Amino acid sequence: MDRLSPQRTSLSDAYSALADEAEATAEARLPEPQGAAEMRDLLPAIEPDRRLDDWGRSERVEGAMDRTLYEFFYRYWFRAEVEGVENVPAEGGALLVSNHSGALPPDAAMIAKAIREEHSSPRPLYLTVEHFFKGYPGFSMLIPKIGGVAAHPANVHRLLYDERQLVLVFPEGRKGTEKLYKDRYRLRRFGRGGFVEAAIRAEAKLVPLCVVGAEEAAPIFAQVPALKRLTGLIYFPLTPTFPWLGPLGMLGYLPAKFKIRFLEPIDTAELGGADAVHDKALVQTVSQEIRARIQENLHEMVAARRSVWFG
Amino acid sequence: MSGAELVRSEPSRRVLVTGLSTYWGGRLAQALEGFEQIEAIIGVDSREPTLELERTEYVKVSNRHSLLQRIVRAAEIDTVIDTRMVVNSLTASPRFAHENNVIGTMNILAACTGQDSPVRKFIFKSSTQYYGSEQDDPAFFTERMRRPHPPRTMIERDVVEAEDAVAEFADKHPAVSVTLLRCANVLGPDVETGFTRMLALPLVPMAFGFDPRLQFIHEDDVVHALEHAALHRLPGTFNVAADGVLALSEAISLVGRRALPLLPPVGAGLLAAPLRRLGFRVPDEMASLLRFGRGVDNRLFKATGFRYGYTSRETLIRLGEHMRLEPILRTRAGEDGYHYEREVEEFLRWSPHVRRERGGDGVAADREPLGI
């Protein structure tokens, strides 16, 4: 302790800067966000030897699923028919907005498969999934590996804005998958339009799309709230196969004919740039418009359909 | 503001390192000794330093405010680097951890205050445990995010409280550049953390049905990050984590171990006792990490010009190499390993051949009494 001296010199230059720093206010504690291009360059480089990406997505697991289960359902079971796939942009971030249904919804996987099969430049699709999956053992492991990410605004923003990927959202959320067979093809509320905000903030295109067939493939006849509480699941539906065949009954889809229609994209850049995020009225209007367009097209597609099973 | 404007090269000259005897304090002091621009390094701790130090002054003092403040003033410290944070609940009792993490931080901050305080830079090593690990977390925490739920474990509570104290200090002292570094889970051959212990087991336990995403950082990169903060003016909060978020199963296979999905997904508390008998204890703050994981956005710190030496993957590969070599090295250490000899160091420290004289105003460490 006796080695320190109170008399120090040569520090005046170090202190002269003190005055300049008075302007450094508390605000300055959080560094300003950098330019988009600059920050994109700083994204971690892809390590070719890795089997997973930073989201936990595994090409190997996804590829295996794609070649077996998805292939079977897409080609032979649901015999999916796709129109307007060219509305999905070949590059840049885009947010796909779809109607949603089914106890364990098959729609997301079929949309991803449709883009992979039919698009001129196939791109991976990230599916937003409610974060409940992270609490279920098994699901928590599998869902990220096949391209699912938790539906958190920050995740959607990073995917769309920084990584410029395709992201699929179901704005109806759980309200869509909970709905009963008698309410089929009636869109639920689109929440507070968070998905529109996300797209505007990320300057990404919005691509509405309709799926017909999923409602009949996995119809829900009733919900049993008592069993839901007992099992701790997010809902407890009665379907043709669940719970009668156990948990695997969730996969017991009926062979309804699938039709997927991608609609004209909406360019959020034309809505007035990033400032439009704060315009709640605009966000709501866009959200309503997308909902109306999906509903309209669903009605049209259902009206044109002669048979649930053969299209 | 562009990256270039954000970063000003502004080396510290007279540095106080807290927690000199901890791993990080020692490593940092060693690293800073190599920089000519830094004329004095003073380390404080209540225990003797454990690492070999050349020109660092050691002052034996606890985190008591009055003494620290006098040292800071007497030695005209312009930069205080606080590295003492305890982030593993197994290495310290909850009471000591709280005392050290919260009360200690407050005392050190108090030592930097005062009208004529010479301190112009405060660097605080924190942890990404600030963000916690919950089901509804984003996949990548950015520095602007707060944790979605209140902290659940003692250590996390400490981290949040300590950071709040630092933030308050930064608000009240705009003239002091406060850098807060939130480090991810550290791995490396020398450091001992919950994860290095876990990965050293022949069968690495995992929570059944979960494969969390985790991000790591190499111990050397932590030291370099602290060093980078000391050499530049970087006001703000930064995540310090290597590139790449790995799944736990991926991490385990990279170090060449086997995973054992054995921990029950819920109610791990019941298994805690038998596991402890087997020599494996899961620290509270790791329990939720083993289910939900955590990833952070590390770009802001990279934007200040910092480059990581290792990615998360490389960190694990190095650790694996070290773990395979360790049994061989361990036997050799007994024969000709380094022994710390205090007397020799004392002698060398004051030997004119070792002292680094600076030109002009005699900047090297003085020996005059401090008067306290």
Side-chain angles (χ1 to χ4, degrees):
Chain A
M1 217 178 278
D2 54 352
R3 286 175 202 135
L4 300 167
S5 161
Q7 325 131 342
R8 289 256 62 90
T9 51
S10 83
L11 287 161
S12 50
D13 53 336
Y15 286 115
S16 65
L18 259 176
D20 312 352
E21 283 158 28
E23 93 235 319
T25 54
E27 277 289 286
R29 286 201 63 249
L30 280 178
E32 286 292 303
Q34 308 284 302
E38 209 173 313
M39 288 306 264
R40 256 177 222 133
D41 290 343
L42 293 171
L43 280 174
I46 292 162
E47 290 174 272
D49 293 338
R50 280 190 64 188
R51 281 191 190 151
L52 302 178
D53 75 0
D54 279 2
W55 298 90
R57 186 175 196 150
S58 161
E59 257 175 55
R60 206 169 49 111
V61 174
E62 208 189 350
M65 292 280 279
D66 186 58
R67 283 188 302 274
T68 55
L69 209 57
Y70 294 177
E71 179 75 16
F72 165 73
F73 276 118
Y74 183 82
R75 221 170 276 291
Y76 305 106
W77 198 252
F78 297 137
R79 294 144 290 134
E81 222 169 73
V82 181
E83 35 180 330
V85 76
E86 67 281 355
N87 286 326
V88 178
E91 57 179 20
L95 188 60
L96 276 57
V97 185
S98 170
N99 60 317
H100 200 23
S101 60
L104 186 73
D107 38 17
M110 292 304 110
I111 295 165
K113 180 80 173 157
I115 293 171
R116 206 174 295 126
E117 293 291 321
E118 319 288 341
H119 203 276
S120 52
S121 49
R123 305 172 61 182
L125 178 66
Y126 286 84
L127 327 165
T128 55
V129 185
E130 259 199 274
H131 60 74
F132 287 97
F133 80 87
K134 285 209 248 170
Y136 292 149
F139 275 103
S140 154
M141 227 166 156
L142 180 68
I143 286 181
K145 299 223 167 27
I146 59 176
V149 296
H152 191 289
N155 291 353
V156 175
H157 184 74
R158 183 172 166 120
L159 281 168
L160 289 178
Y161 185 74
D162 296 311
E163 305 191 9
R164 312 184 130 258
Q165 299 280 5
L166 285 184
V167 182
L168 174 64
V169 290
F170 299 106
E172 292 171 275
R174 220 198 307 167
K175 299 188 291 294
T177 53
E178 269 171 358
K179 96 186 143 192
L180 303 181
Y181 183 65
K182 65 179 169 63
D183 296 322
R184 63 190 180 279
Y185 301 118
R186 273 191 235 158
L187 287 183
R188 308 277 103 178
R189 217 158 41 76
F190 263 24
R192 276 157 289 183
F195 70 99
V196 178
E197 273 182 32
I200 295 176
R201 191 175 291 128
E203 298 155 18
K205 288 202 167 72
L206 277 160
V207 185
L209 70 100
C210 318
V211 181
V212 166
E215 302 267 13
E216 288 87 1
I220 299 173
F221 300 122
Q223 295 282 357
V224 191
L227 283 174
K228 167 189 152 176
R229 273 195 298 278
L230 196 68
T231 53
L233 295 169
I234 53 172
Y235 49 79
F236 195 97
L238 298 184
T239 76
T241 49
F242 184 84
W244 333 115
L245 302 180
L248 266 183
M250 281 283 202
L251 276 177
Y253 299 122
L254 303 178
K257 171 92 173 164
F258 258 55
K259 285 185 177 169
I260 302 172
R261 181 186 281 178
F262 295 92
L263 308 179
E264 282 278 298
I266 295 167
D267 196 348
T268 54
E270 287 163 17
L271 295 176
D275 292 334
V277 174
H278 307 294
D279 188 347
K280 291 277 177 232
L282 177 75
V283 168
Q284 278 301 329
T285 313
V286 177
S287 161
Q288 293 301 327
E289 194 197 308
I290 292 174
R291 184 171 179 274
R293 276 172 64 185
I294 296 175
Q295 183 70 75
E296 212 173 282
N297 276 275
L298 277 175
H299 284 156
E300 198 186 304
M301 287 162 81
V302 174
R305 181 172 67 165
R306 297 205 177 154
S307 155
V308 169
W309 316 111
F310 304 106
Chain B
M1 213 195 280
S2 80
E5 269 175 89
L6 187 76
V7 185
R8 257 199 273 159
S9 171
E10 190 189 272
S12 308
R13 285 160 182 256
R14 306 185 62 79
V15 181
L16 180 90
V17 178
T18 66
L20 187 68
S21 335
T22 64
Y23 175 76
W24 297 116
R27 283 287 310 267
L28 177 67
Q30 275 183 334
L32 293 178
E33 282 177 345
F35 290 93
E36 294 278 308
Q37 311 93 299
I38 299 174
E39 61 194 37
I41 306 158
I42 292 159
V44 291
D45 207 324
S46 44
R47 285 168 297 144
E48 298 282 315
T50 46
L51 291 176
E52 191 180 4
L53 296 165
E54 206 176 281
R55 63 183 180 108
T56 301
E57 304 292 337
Y58 164 60
V59 182
K60 183 166 177 162
V61 66
S62 70
N63 298 328
R64 271 161 51 215
H65 165 204
S66 58
L67 271 181
L68 275 172
Q69 192 168 38
R70 287 167 79 174
I71 295 168
V72 165
R73 296 201 176 186
E76 306 231 327
I77 296 296
D78 58 31
T79 300
V80 174
I81 308 183
D82 194 359
T83 65
R84 304 157 299 113
M85 185 77 100
V86 172
V87 291
N88 183 349
S89 60
L90 294 187
T91 55
S93 70
R95 201 167 151 182
F96 172 82
H98 182 77
E99 196 68 25
N100 177 71
N101 291 350
V102 181
I103 312 298
T105 302
M106 286 176 177
N107 287 342
I108 285 161
L109 288 169
C112 306
T113 52
Q115 286 222 309
D116 50 346
S117 170
V119 177
R120 306 183 45 253
K121 212 195 267 185
F122 183 78
I123 300 165
F124 188 74
K125 179 184 166 291
S126 180
S127 157
T128 53
Q129 282 180 10
Y130 175 81
Y131 302 115
S133 173
E134 302 269 356
Q135 200 170 324
D136 50 354
D137 281 347
F140 297 89
F141 278 104
T142 68
E143 290 82 351
R144 285 169 182 267
M145 293 175 185
R146 282 193 75 95
R147 51 183 305 143
H149 303 283
R152 287 175 201 264
T153 65
M154 292 297 282
I155 290 283
E156 284 173 62
R157 210 167 296 148
D158 286 356
V159 172
V160 172
E161 267 185 62
E163 280 209 17
D164 286 349
V166 174
E168 199 191 316
F169 172 83
D171 288 347
K172 282 194 188 150
H173 302 85
V176 180
S177 147
V178 177
T179 306
L180 213 150
L181 302 177
R182 291 185 185 141
C183 299
N185 292 97
V186 188
L187 292 179
D190 297 323
V191 71
E192 197 182 322
T193 64
F195 274 104
T196 56
R197 277 194 203 184
M198 198 177 107
L199 291 170
L201 296 170
L203 288 170
V204 183
M206 281 175 75
F208 182 78
F210 290 87
D211 195 5
R213 292 163 61 252
L214 296 166
Q215 201 164 358
F216 299 100
I217 182 158
H218 194 276
E219 54 186 27
D220 294 350
D221 277 338
V222 176
V223 176
H224 289 149
L226 288 165
E227 206 180 277
H228 183 74
L231 297 178
H232 297 87
R233 187 184 151 78
L234 305 171
T237 304
F238 301 92
N239 291 333
V240 178
D243 281 349
V245 185
L246 310 176
L248 179 58
S249 61
E250 195 184 5
I252 293 170
S253 74
L254 282 173
V255 289
R257 301 282 155 148
R258 259 168 218 287
L260 181 68
L262 153 125
L263 302 176
V266 284
L270 291 175
L271 254 184
L275 278 174
R276 203 171 303 143
R277 289 212 163 172
L278 293 170
F280 180 72
R281 290 170 66 195
V282 187
D284 288 345
E285 64 277 3
M286 254 173 80
S288 65
L289 211 52
L290 286 180
R291 288 203 288 157
F292 305 126
R294 184 194 303 131
V296 298
D297 188 330
N298 64 356
R299 290 179 290 166
L300 204 56
F301 199 51
K302 284 201 273 183
T304 68
F306 184 74
R307 290 294 170 267
Y308 293 94
Y310 304 88
T311 65
S312 284
R313 182 171 169 274
E314 287 160 2
T315 303
L316 280 150
I317 293 173
R318 289 293 146 81
L319 182 67
E321 283 166 4
H322 168 78
M323 289 194 310
R324 284 186 283 271
L325 255 177
E326 205 206 351
I328 302 160
L329 294 177
R330 201 194 288 138
T331 48
R332 258 194 56 202
E335 293 153 25
D336 55 7
Y338 167 75
H339 299 284
Y340 176 74
E341 279 171 36
R342 200 157 198 288
E343 288 71 26
V344 178
E345 200 202 317
E346 290 281 287
F347 169 75
L348 285 175
R349 179 171 289 173
W350 306 114
S351 156
H353 301 289
V354 177
R355 281 187 70 190
R356 295 174 186 196
E357 290 294 342
R358 236 21 76 69
D361 30 47
V363 186
D366 264 272
R367 261 171 291 177
E368 276 161 55
L370 183 64
I372 42 177

